Amino acid sequence: MDSISGGAAIISGKDIAAGIRAGLKGQVLKMQEKNGVTPGLAVILVGDNPASKVYVRNKGKACEEVGIKSFQHTLPAETTEEGLLKLIDKLNRSKEVHGILVQLPLPFHINETRVIEAISPIKDVDGFHPYNLGRLVTGNPLLQPCTPYGVIKMLEAAAIDVSGKEAVIVGRSNIVGKPMALMLLRRNATVTVCHSRTRNIEEKIKRGDIVVAALGKPEFVKGEWIKSGAVVIDVGINRLPDGKLVGDVEFGGAAQRASWITPVPGGVGPMTIAMLLHNTVDAARMSLGV
Ligand code: NDP
């Protein structure tokens, strides 16, 4: 799964995600044979944000590949909050739907918090509902946010023990940075979370045995900030004006110093979708009580 780049070995999210998807395919078949149930994922898209359309299409394709039934609901941009909440209510009660995902961002006139909180926590495959985040805080997770969960699976696949290590996370969003901190803390890392107001960020990053960059700024983390032998996880996906995709870490320089590094593309990105499928199969299993 890994090849050497500079000094660092690559953690290939692409390969690990393919392994996860193959495993899920087997689990779906088993569930169909044993329980007569096919896991179902409903994806709701409001409006016509081009990036969101691509994400939704990719999620649908990924579902089909592993045998998950995908239900796509594309609503016009002028959909009211009430209309969206009604659809969620219907999907919460549907026996065919085990996971519900509302593609973010939503149009400004719709309250994102209210929408996320309307999704039944046992169908909340994004893991954004306060119930699921609360379960994560208390160390008893149910459905976990896909991107940081994918990072954990990558660390496990590379047999990287995080216990007792200094983990430095750059970014504190509800979907990546904060749940990432909780997941690493639960695995006994000593966690520092940096954000836009952090002073001397370079000094903080230099301490990291594990550095997770999730801020959305192309190549913000410089190669020379990486401690020798550190593990570098690059969550960022940024498109440069010339069309090239880069992460939040200066890959070449960081790869010279790190022991392990994730590439962009082919790193955390494919893991996020794989964990969405994983959560959907888990949610279907929960609905069966198995
Ligand atoms: P948000 O914009 O929600 O959060 C960015 C975070 O980074 C904020 O906490 C912000 O701090 C912090 N930040 C911004 N600028 C700086 C800075 N100069 N120094 C330190 N901290 C800074 O982003 P997301 O968490 O949604 O996404 C982060 C990145 O990860 C993006 O590139 C996104 O595309 C990518 N992503 C990739 C996914 C994948 O599947 N690989 C999935 C999700 C996201 P503050 O809170 O103070 O504003």
Side-chain angles (χ1 to χ4, degrees):
M1 89 167 179
D2 33 301
S3 57
I4 304 296
S5 161
I10 300 278
I11 311 178
S12 168
K14 200 172 155 208
D15 293 349
I16 301 165
I20 291 174
R21 288 199 306 268
L24 290 172
K25 204 169 180 174
Q27 290 176 37
V28 169
L29 278 174
K30 220 163 156 190
M31 208 179 278
Q32 286 167 331
E33 280 165 15
K34 235 177 123 187
N35 309 94
V37 166
T38 300
L41 173 67
V43 180
I44 306 173
L45 173 65
V46 187
D48 50 12
N49 177 320
S52 294
K53 271 183 171 169
V54 174
Y55 296 145
V56 166
R57 201 168 47 232
N58 289 344
K59 285 168 187 172
K61 264 202 267 174
C63 279
E64 279 166 28
E65 260 177 48
V66 301
I68 293 173
K69 215 172 184 178
S70 134
F71 304 90
Q72 304 219 348
H73 297 267
T74 307
L75 309 179
E78 55 283 3
T79 301
T80 60
E81 186 175 304
E82 202 197 347
L84 178 56
L85 293 176
K86 261 193 192 149
L87 173 61
I88 292 173
D89 181 50
K90 198 175 119 197
L91 297 172
N92 278 342
R93 286 183 282 110
S94 163
K95 287 225 164 6
E96 277 189 305
V97 171
H98 304 98
I100 303 170
L101 180 154
V102 178
Q103 186 63 48
L104 302 177
L106 287 166
F108 287 117
H109 66 277
I110 298 180
N111 182 318
E112 221 162 81
T113 305
R114 221 172 282 149
V115 169
I116 290 171
E117 292 185 5
I119 299 171
S120 163
I122 55 165
K123 296 193 177 187
D124 167 42
V125 284
D126 256 340
F128 297 163
H129 191 288
Y131 176 83
N132 279 314
L133 290 173
R135 293 274 303 239
L136 184 58
V137 172
T138 52
N140 183 25
L142 190 71
L143 291 166
Q144 304 183 63
C146 302
T147 300
Y149 197 11
V151 171
I152 293 294
K153 292 286 175 194
M154 293 173 99
L155 294 171
E156 286 174 0
I160 294 162
D161 182 15
V162 302
S163 180
K165 305 263 175 72
E166 292 262 359
V168 179
I169 301 165
V170 190
R172 58 170 165 182
S173 71
N174 288 337
I175 66 170
V176 189
K178 279 185 206 161
M180 185 80 260
L182 293 165
M183 288 179 198
L184 289 169
L185 189 58
R186 204 173 153 238
R187 287 161 180 84
N188 300 316
T190 300
V191 180
T192 302
V193 182
C194 304
H195 45 79
S196 66
R197 312 287 173 91
T198 298
R199 285 190 213 145
N200 303 325
I201 199 161
E202 177 182 336
E203 297 312 314
K204 311 274 187 302
I205 294 171
K206 280 182 169 168
R207 290 207 311 249
D209 300 310
I210 298 162
V211 174
V212 181
L215 68 157
K217 296 264 161 20
E219 300 176 324
F220 176 90
V221 176
K222 305 301 168 220
E224 65 266 24
W225 298 357
I226 300 300
K227 181 163 134 181
S228 176
V231 175
V232 177
I233 307 287
D234 195 350
V235 179
I237 303 177
N238 310 285
R239 196 170 288 281
L240 298 180
D242 65 4
K244 194 178 162 212
L245 271 190
V246 297
D248 289 345
V249 177
E250 210 179 59
F251 182 85
Q256 296 296 326
R257 305 173 67 92
S259 57
W260 293 92
I261 192 164
T262 65
V264 177
V268 178
M271 294 300 291
T272 297
I273 294 202
M275 298 321 291
L276 171 68
L277 305 177
H278 167 97
N279 281 352
T280 304
V281 173
D282 258 7
R285 202 176 289 127
M286 278 192 279
S287 80
L288 291 167
V290 291

